[in-house]
Amino acid sequence: EKNTFNPSKRPRKEPIKCPGDDSWTLLSQGAEARVWKVPKPASDEKYIIIKERFSKAYRHPTLDERLTKQRCRMEGRLLEKCRQQGTLENHVPKVLKVDSPLLYLQYIEGKTVKQFINDAIVGSENTNGDDPSVSLEHLLTKIANEMGRLIGTLHKEGVIHGDLTTSNILIVEHATSDAREDGAAFVLYLIDFGLAKPLNQQKQGKNSSNISNANIEEKAVDLYVLERALQSTHPQLAPSFWTTLEKAYVLALEQPSVGVEQCQTLKRLEQVRQRGRKRECFG
């Protein structure tokens, strides 16, 4: 039988939210999914997050359903993998349920790092405080350090985020009395693992060097995406922000004796930068 599928005539799938249900709040919508904040009655947690991957009109329905299910499950698995590692347990949201095309997640009350940094910069311009402990420079240094540590830990545990931006990192502030031992009065959470993927597992053999090289490339590209996002979203940040982030990244990889200059991922990052500049110049 002749295939009569015509993507131009296929209606785009409507949001999963029931018409007239005002309890669902749309937080964001990207190319792949909508993110809803939904009340959770009769529970200690007031809200949950429901991430809804919507269908693509240009894909065949069977392929679309299979890809959506695969990506929804992959995102859930990688979040669970991160939480199983003690160092990342409290830095990614809990997965409550996977029911393609929906992913049910823990709701985290906080600002994005993008919003936090912008608010902090505006706030510093409107105050004349001289207290170095709460100065903008001091605060940004702590954020850069925490970001580098978190991303380094993620890579060490074998996960590539795929879309590292300050919009995909949440910052949750604590009262001064609840500050951690290192003095940080906030916790960072990585969110939106929709483009995330696991690193290739290295095994002894003739292909082990190829796998290692590919993993270094994946990590470097992940960092490059973040660096470009910082440059475009926060052009007012000083170069020291990225330097601090790099140092914390290397320490998180447990390579303190290697140093920033000798870190293979950061060496590869410079090559990725050069390729990016060539594309900008020559298309």
Side-chain angles (χ1 to χ4, degrees):
E1 185 179 349
K2 186 178 179 180
N3 188 349
T4 58
F5 170 65
N6 185 343
S8 64
K9 295 183 179 180
R10 182 180 170 208
R12 180 172 291 276
K13 189 174 181 180
E14 291 301 315
I16 203 79
K17 172 187 172 185
C18 296
D21 186 354
D22 295 330
S23 64
W24 286 44
T25 303
L26 183 64
L27 297 182
S28 64
Q29 177 170 331
E32 299 291 332
R34 302 179 184 93
V35 178
W36 301 92
K37 176 183 175 183
V38 182
K40 188 180 180 184
S43 171
D44 294 337
E45 298 179 0
K46 293 182 179 180
Y47 301 98
I48 62 171
I49 290 294
I50 296 182
K51 182 173 183 179
E52 173 205 356
R53 282 185 175 271
F54 43 75
S55 61
K56 297 299 184 70
Y58 58 81
R59 288 198 296 237
H60 189 282
T62 303
L63 175 63
D64 182 73
E65 183 178 0
R66 184 168 73 246
L67 288 175
T68 299
K69 185 176 293 185
Q70 287 175 352
R71 291 171 182 175
C72 196
R73 289 177 175 174
M74 173 63 77
E75 184 170 0
R77 280 199 298 267
L78 289 176
L79 284 168
E80 281 297 303
K81 177 180 180 179
C82 290
R83 287 193 61 83
Q84 288 170 5
Q85 310 300 327
T87 49
L88 287 173
E89 181 180 3
N90 297 316
H91 295 283
V92 296
K94 296 177 185 176
V95 177
L96 305 177
K97 181 181 177 182
V98 180
D99 184 17
S100 181
L102 305 180
L103 183 62
Y104 297 74
L105 301 169
Q106 169 195 10
Y107 173 71
I108 298 169
E109 185 73 51
K111 293 181 178 180
T112 64
V113 169
K114 174 183 177 180
Q115 182 183 358
F116 187 87
I117 290 176
N118 290 340
D119 289 350
I121 291 173
V122 171
S124 68
E125 294 172 350
N126 297 332
T127 60
N128 296 316
D130 297 322
D131 184 357
S133 66
V134 293
S135 69
L136 179 62
E137 182 180 0
H138 182 76
L139 178 62
L140 292 178
T141 298
K142 285 196 170 188
I143 292 175
N145 188 70
E146 286 296 296
M147 285 176 61
R149 186 185 65 81
L150 183 57
I151 297 164
T153 303
L154 183 76
H155 286 177
K156 179 188 171 188
E157 300 300 346
V159 178
I160 295 298
H161 185 276
D163 192 17
L164 287 173
T165 68
T166 50
S167 294
N168 286 335
I169 306 176
L170 294 180
I171 183 167
V172 179
E173 296 181 84
H174 296 311
T176 305
S177 58
D178 296 329
R180 302 199 321 251
E181 292 180 1
D182 60 4
F186 57 82
V187 175
L188 298 185
Y189 287 82
L190 282 167
I191 60 171
D192 193 357
F193 280 63
L195 297 177
K197 56 186 174 182
L199 286 170
N200 294 315
Q201 296 297 314
Q202 287 185 248
K203 297 179 181 179
Q204 295 297 326
K206 61 180 181 180
N207 293 325
S208 60
S209 60
N210 292 337
I211 292 175
S212 176
N213 187 59
N215 285 347
I216 291 171
E217 176 77 11
E218 294 276 15
K219 294 175 186 176
V221 171
D222 221 21
L223 289 175
Y224 181 67
V225 170
L226 175 62
E227 184 179 39
R228 291 300 300 269
L230 287 171
Q231 291 170 351
S232 62
T233 309
H234 308 284
Q236 65 275 64
L237 290 177
S240 58
F241 187 93
W242 185 256
T243 303
T244 300
L245 190 152
E246 282 186 328
K247 290 179 180 178
Y249 176 84
V250 173
L251 287 173
L253 290 176
E254 294 188 351
Q255 296 179 327
S257 60
V258 172
V260 172
E261 295 79 7
Q262 299 303 317
C263 177
Q264 292 299 312
T265 301
L266 296 187
K267 282 185 174 181
R268 183 63 60 85
L269 173 59
E270 182 53 39
Q271 297 177 21
V272 174
R273 286 180 184 132
Q274 292 174 4
R275 296 202 299 266
R277 285 194 285 268
K278 287 181 180 177
R279 281 196 295 270
E280 289 176 358
C281 292
F282 304 108

